[in-house]
Amino acid sequence: IHYYADSVDDYYKSEGEVSGWFGQGSKHLNLKGEVEKEILKNLLLGILPAGAALQQQEISSRKFKRADQKDRMGFDLTFSAPKSLSLQTLVGGDAKLIGCHDRAVETALLAAERYAQARHKVNGVSRTVTTNNLIVARFRHETSRARDPQLHTHCIV
């Protein structure tokens, strides 16, 4: 969580939000504005903003668990702009391209949300349900870990 929130760049903040919530699930939970670390951490642990805990199946009760399987608290969908766009934006100073990147990320997330599914288990019978519903914390970064210009957005689902 700290990697995403602590390394958010705000140099071009006027061109768009550097962090923010996306998705129908975010709206349902009244999540808006910048992402707060504590709220994101709690959501990843299954605790809703109002403090209610989501029901979670005990990992030890799973009948079929691979030895290499780890708990997955969320998914990091990372959308990177082409290097040429990153250079034009971040080195060349063409800040309006940040908005283009942000709109491209939103378009991709809308498509992902349209196909979002969850597993619903009732009386031991599991079925897949299309929810059209995601909770996404977005973090836009402008440098790679090597500190090279790299416009990209992490979307924690």
Side-chain angles (χ1 to χ4, degrees):
I1 294 169
H2 294 288
Y3 166 75
Y4 303 111
D6 292 346
S7 57
V8 163
D9 302 311
D10 63 3
Y11 183 77
Y12 291 103
K13 190 168 182 176
S14 63
E15 296 301 319
E17 292 297 318
V18 293
S19 79
W21 295 100
F22 173 87
Q24 294 302 313
S26 298
K27 288 178 184 174
H28 181 71
L29 295 175
N30 202 28
L31 297 171
K32 45 187 144 177
E34 292 202 25
V35 176
E36 295 178 36
K37 284 188 237 182
E38 200 60 31
I39 291 174
L40 176 59
K41 178 182 164 190
N42 284 339
L43 284 171
L44 291 171
L45 293 172
I47 302 169
L48 298 175
L54 297 174
Q55 183 180 4
Q56 294 184 351
Q57 179 182 7
E58 287 294 323
I59 295 166
S60 59
S61 69
R62 292 183 184 160
K63 294 179 183 174
F64 304 103
K65 182 179 177 190
R66 297 189 332 240
D68 64 341
Q69 185 177 358
K70 296 180 181 177
D71 286 338
R72 184 171 293 143
M73 298 166 72
F75 294 93
D76 180 357
L77 305 178
T78 304
F79 300 95
S80 295
K83 191 66 163 183
S84 58
L85 188 131
S86 292
L87 290 172
Q88 179 68 27
T89 302
L90 305 170
V91 176
D94 194 352
K96 71 178 180 269
L97 294 175
I98 296 242
C100 296
H101 169 77
D102 290 344
R103 284 189 300 280
V105 169
E106 185 165 322
T107 299
L109 290 174
L110 284 168
E113 187 168 51
R114 185 170 47 244
Y115 297 106
Q117 295 182 325
R119 188 174 61 200
H120 184 63
K121 195 172 191 176
V122 177
N123 298 326
V125 177
S126 186
R127 64 184 179 98
T128 302
V129 178
T130 300
T131 64
N132 306 111
N133 185 338
L134 292 177
I135 299 170
V136 181
R138 294 183 293 183
F139 299 94
R140 190 181 67 225
H141 295 170
E142 282 125 18
T143 57
S144 68
R145 289 184 177 164
R147 306 306 295 163
D148 292 335
Q150 182 194 12
L151 180 60
H152 64 286
T153 302
H154 292 275
C155 299
I156 311 304
V157 180

